[in-house]
Amino acid sequence: MAGSSRSDQRIGLLNGVAAYGMWGLVPLFWPLLKPAGAGEILAHRMTWSLVFVAVALLFVRRWAWAGELLRQPRRLALVTVAAAVITVNWGVYIWAVNSGHVVEASLGYFINPLVTIAMGVLLLKERLRPAQWVAVATGFAAVLVLTIGYGRPPWISLCLAFSFATYGLVKKKVNLGGVESLAAETAIQFLPALGYLLWLGSRGESTFTTEGFGHSALLAATGVVTAVPLVCFGASAIRVPLSTLGLLQYLAPVFQFLLGILYFGEAMPPERWAGFALVWLALSLLTWDALRTARRTARALREQLNRAGAGVPPVKGDVAAREQGIVASGSPAPTATGGTPEQRDVGAAKP
């Protein structure tokens, strides 16, 4: 049993590394689709993603959720909001990579945990621990430093961070699995995306049929590039603790950052290094605080179980500790978004 558990965790860890590794290396893929513009690439991504996940769901015969979703207008409306927000996220990311802003795009996913926490305070009235307040303040200072460094606000980073944080918030309320959620969202995106592609074709501006079979195959592969990391992420999420996933999530922006500097040769003047250093400091504070709180919670749970085994009723502090789940991003788990970390929808749709 213990060996099986260790094997499961090893498989989960490998899947997590694969998922975040693919998300981190995806900037290498989007330039291959030129001369297609960001709008055409985005439309193909929406269209082919639906085709891929629909075939996958047909194969595993997992369609019961669709009927339930159609009978719940509020959840369907939330899925529509999620589809709109992730469309913005995908579109900005593709444009940023193909326009030479890979480093700034990576910053968006570095600061995403900080934005998520800020939204939790502002929208969900969550209470932060002191270390979390310091991390958020440090992140804000980083944005100011980078604004000076770029000579403008890092709007690409902010757009990616806020759109993805909003997407995560909406998805938690929808409570659909990762693949099912992607299917629902791309189903909503499908008709506008297909209409846009047909319009491009009617104007003679589509590259799908004019740049050869290889180009067409690469555009169709956007569905695979979108869905495969998500499948790996789902396989990881059910096998490893959320604290581990929270640490793995930094692989993607680290890879993107390194690609931006070492492969794409983007400039990094001293003021940008200073801004990124502040962001990394904030994330280090969040991770340290999250792991410390997780250890305290686990210790309190063990003490409570020991008391229960001895017939001693739990004390108030134990109950509070039990209710204080934590993930590595530093976000308190039982919030108005509902449930413990294990009960939350941990599906994602990264760039």
Side-chain angles (χ1 to χ4, degrees), residues 28 40 57 63 65 71 91 111 116 136 138 147 213 234 254 290 317 342:
L28 296 173
E40 184 180 2
L57 289 171
W63 284 105
W65 60 271
R71 291 191 294 270
I111 67 175
T116 300
V136 171
T138 304
T147 297
F213 173 77
V254 165
E342 291 74 18

mmCIF file of all heavy atoms in Angstrom, residues 28 40 57 63 65 71 91 111 116 136 138 147 213 234 254 290 317 342:
data_model
loop_
_atom_site.group_PDB
_atom_site.id
_atom_site.type_symbol
_atom_site.label_atom_id
_atom_site.label_comp_id
_atom_site.label_asym_id
_atom_site.label_seq_id
_atom_site.Cartn_x
_atom_site.Cartn_y
_atom_site.Cartn_z
ATOM 1 N N LEU A 28 8.113 28.719 -27.443
ATOM 2 C CA LEU A 28 8.837 28.223 -28.614
ATOM 3 C C LEU A 28 7.882 27.849 -29.746
ATOM 4 O O LEU A 28 8.287 27.801 -30.919
ATOM 5 C CB LEU A 28 9.670 26.991 -28.234
ATOM 6 C CG LEU A 28 10.798 27.209 -27.227
ATOM 7 C CD1 LEU A 28 11.409 25.867 -26.828
ATOM 8 C CD2 LEU A 28 11.853 28.146 -27.802
ATOM 9 N N GLU A 40 -5.625 35.171 -35.713
ATOM 10 C CA GLU A 40 -5.876 33.906 -36.409
ATOM 11 C C GLU A 40 -5.403 32.720 -35.579
ATOM 12 O O GLU A 40 -6.090 31.685 -35.499
ATOM 13 C CB GLU A 40 -5.172 33.906 -37.769
ATOM 14 C CG GLU A 40 -5.474 32.658 -38.579
ATOM 15 C CD GLU A 40 -4.779 32.625 -39.933
ATOM 16 O OE1 GLU A 40 -4.011 33.571 -40.236
ATOM 17 O OE2 GLU A 40 -4.987 31.651 -40.683
ATOM 18 N N LEU A 57 -13.334 13.272 -24.774
ATOM 19 C CA LEU A 57 -14.491 12.992 -23.928
ATOM 20 C C LEU A 57 -15.372 11.905 -24.530
ATOM 21 O O LEU A 57 -15.977 11.101 -23.800
ATOM 22 C CB LEU A 57 -15.298 14.276 -23.705
ATOM 23 C CG LEU A 57 -14.636 15.315 -22.799
ATOM 24 C CD1 LEU A 57 -15.408 16.630 -22.823
ATOM 25 C CD2 LEU A 57 -14.541 14.801 -21.361
ATOM 26 N N TRP A 63 -19.865 12.540 -20.605
ATOM 27 C CA TRP A 63 -20.682 13.644 -21.094
ATOM 28 C C TRP A 63 -21.816 14.008 -20.145
ATOM 29 O O TRP A 63 -22.583 14.941 -20.437
ATOM 30 C CB TRP A 63 -21.275 13.289 -22.465
ATOM 31 C CG TRP A 63 -20.275 13.388 -23.562
ATOM 32 C CD1 TRP A 63 -19.662 12.356 -24.205
ATOM 33 C CD2 TRP A 63 -19.746 14.580 -24.147
ATOM 34 N NE1 TRP A 63 -18.782 12.821 -25.138
ATOM 35 C CE2 TRP A 63 -18.815 14.196 -25.139
ATOM 36 C CE3 TRP A 63 -19.969 15.944 -23.921
ATOM 37 C CZ2 TRP A 63 -18.116 15.113 -25.903
ATOM 38 C CZ3 TRP A 63 -19.269 16.860 -24.690
ATOM 39 C CH2 TRP A 63 -18.349 16.446 -25.667
ATOM 40 N N TRP A 65 -21.912 15.569 -17.430
ATOM 41 C CA TRP A 65 -21.788 16.931 -16.899
ATOM 42 C C TRP A 65 -22.421 17.969 -17.823
ATOM 43 O O TRP A 65 -22.898 19.010 -17.365
ATOM 44 C CB TRP A 65 -20.313 17.276 -16.689
ATOM 45 C CG TRP A 65 -19.516 17.207 -17.961
ATOM 46 C CD1 TRP A 65 -18.870 16.120 -18.469
ATOM 47 C CD2 TRP A 65 -19.319 18.268 -18.908
ATOM 48 N NE1 TRP A 65 -18.271 16.427 -19.661
ATOM 49 C CE2 TRP A 65 -18.533 17.742 -19.953
ATOM 50 C CE3 TRP A 65 -19.718 19.597 -18.958
ATOM 51 C CZ2 TRP A 65 -18.143 18.500 -21.053
ATOM 52 C CZ3 TRP A 65 -19.331 20.358 -20.052
ATOM 53 C CH2 TRP A 65 -18.565 19.816 -21.082
ATOM 54 N N ARG A 71 -28.707 22.711 -17.725
ATOM 55 C CA ARG A 71 -29.905 22.913 -16.892
ATOM 56 C C ARG A 71 -29.662 23.908 -15.761
ATOM 57 O O ARG A 71 -30.557 24.138 -14.948
ATOM 58 C CB ARG A 71 -30.372 21.569 -16.306
ATOM 59 C CG ARG A 71 -30.947 20.610 -17.348
ATOM 60 C CD ARG A 71 -31.633 19.427 -16.694
ATOM 61 N NE ARG A 71 -30.699 18.579 -15.968
ATOM 62 C CZ ARG A 71 -30.051 17.548 -16.506
ATOM 63 N NH1 ARG A 71 -30.235 17.254 -17.792
ATOM 64 N NH2 ARG A 71 -29.222 16.816 -15.795
ATOM 65 N N GLY A 91 -5.155 35.446 -26.006
ATOM 66 C CA GLY A 91 -4.850 36.372 -27.091
ATOM 67 C C GLY A 91 -3.685 37.287 -26.754
ATOM 68 O O GLY A 91 -2.775 37.488 -27.581
ATOM 69 N N ILE A 111 3.525 37.175 -11.053
ATOM 70 C CA ILE A 111 2.740 37.985 -10.107
ATOM 71 C C ILE A 111 1.306 37.489 -9.956
ATOM 72 O O ILE A 111 0.569 38.009 -9.114
ATOM 73 C CB ILE A 111 2.740 39.479 -10.510
ATOM 74 C CG1 ILE A 111 1.986 39.699 -11.826
ATOM 75 C CG2 ILE A 111 4.139 40.030 -10.582
ATOM 76 C CD1 ILE A 111 1.862 41.165 -12.202
ATOM 77 N N THR A 116 -4.002 37.130 -7.213
ATOM 78 C CA THR A 116 -5.060 36.256 -6.689
ATOM 79 C C THR A 116 -5.349 36.568 -5.225
ATOM 80 O O THR A 116 -6.508 36.638 -4.802
ATOM 81 C CB THR A 116 -4.649 34.779 -6.846
ATOM 82 O OG1 THR A 116 -4.448 34.496 -8.236
ATOM 83 C CG2 THR A 116 -5.726 33.855 -6.294
ATOM 84 N N VAL A 136 2.327 41.036 -0.706
ATOM 85 C CA VAL A 136 1.520 41.836 -1.624
ATOM 86 C C VAL A 136 2.104 43.241 -1.776
ATOM 87 O O VAL A 136 2.187 43.788 -2.886
ATOM 88 C CB VAL A 136 0.052 41.898 -1.142
ATOM 89 C CG1 VAL A 136 -0.749 42.901 -1.969
ATOM 90 C CG2 VAL A 136 -0.589 40.520 -1.232
ATOM 91 N N THR A 138 5.211 44.091 -1.365
ATOM 92 C CA THR A 138 6.453 43.965 -2.132
ATOM 93 C C THR A 138 6.150 43.816 -3.620
ATOM 94 O O THR A 138 6.843 44.388 -4.473
ATOM 95 C CB THR A 138 7.262 42.747 -1.636
ATOM 96 O OG1 THR A 138 7.491 42.866 -0.235
ATOM 97 C CG2 THR A 138 8.597 42.645 -2.361
ATOM 98 N N THR A 147 7.485 49.758 -13.789
ATOM 99 C CA THR A 147 6.880 50.861 -14.543
ATOM 100 C C THR A 147 7.934 51.902 -14.891
ATOM 101 O O THR A 147 7.980 52.422 -16.015
ATOM 102 C CB THR A 147 5.741 51.512 -13.725
ATOM 103 O OG1 THR A 147 4.709 50.544 -13.498
ATOM 104 C CG2 THR A 147 5.163 52.713 -14.447
ATOM 105 N N PHE A 213 1.042 22.457 -46.192
ATOM 106 C CA PHE A 213 0.459 21.476 -45.268
ATOM 107 C C PHE A 213 1.067 21.582 -43.876
ATOM 108 O O PHE A 213 0.376 21.442 -42.867
ATOM 109 C CB PHE A 213 0.673 20.062 -45.819
ATOM 110 C CG PHE A 213 0.246 18.981 -44.864
ATOM 111 C CD1 PHE A 213 -1.097 18.666 -44.683
ATOM 112 C CD2 PHE A 213 1.194 18.291 -44.104
ATOM 113 C CE1 PHE A 213 -1.487 17.679 -43.794
ATOM 114 C CE2 PHE A 213 0.808 17.313 -43.206
ATOM 115 C CZ PHE A 213 -0.538 16.999 -43.058
ATOM 116 N N GLY A 234 -4.186 17.465 -14.695
ATOM 117 C CA GLY A 234 -5.247 16.747 -13.998
ATOM 118 C C GLY A 234 -4.750 15.459 -13.360
ATOM 119 O O GLY A 234 -5.122 15.121 -12.238
ATOM 120 N N VAL A 254 9.361 30.533 -14.858
ATOM 121 C CA VAL A 254 10.832 30.473 -14.844
ATOM 122 C C VAL A 254 11.344 30.084 -16.230
ATOM 123 O O VAL A 254 12.274 30.705 -16.775
ATOM 124 C CB VAL A 254 11.331 29.472 -13.777
ATOM 125 C CG1 VAL A 254 12.801 29.125 -14.005
ATOM 126 C CG2 VAL A 254 11.155 30.060 -12.383
ATOM 127 N N ALA A 290 3.266 29.870 3.398
ATOM 128 C CA ALA A 290 2.320 28.792 3.103
ATOM 129 C C ALA A 290 2.803 27.461 3.669
ATOM 130 O O ALA A 290 2.033 26.708 4.273
ATOM 131 C CB ALA A 290 2.107 28.680 1.592
ATOM 132 N N GLY A 317 -9.064 25.546 19.205
ATOM 133 C CA GLY A 317 -7.900 25.794 18.353
ATOM 134 C C GLY A 317 -7.713 24.717 17.308
ATOM 135 O O GLY A 317 -7.296 24.973 16.191
ATOM 136 N N GLU A 342 -8.759 20.053 -1.433
ATOM 137 C CA GLU A 342 -9.027 18.825 -2.162
ATOM 138 C C GLU A 342 -10.359 18.884 -2.897
ATOM 139 O O GLU A 342 -10.572 18.159 -3.859
ATOM 140 C CB GLU A 342 -9.022 17.629 -1.210
ATOM 141 C CG GLU A 342 -7.651 17.293 -0.638
ATOM 142 C CD GLU A 342 -7.209 18.278 0.429
ATOM 143 O OE1 GLU A 342 -8.054 18.995 0.969
ATOM 144 O OE2 GLU A 342 -6.001 18.335 0.703
#
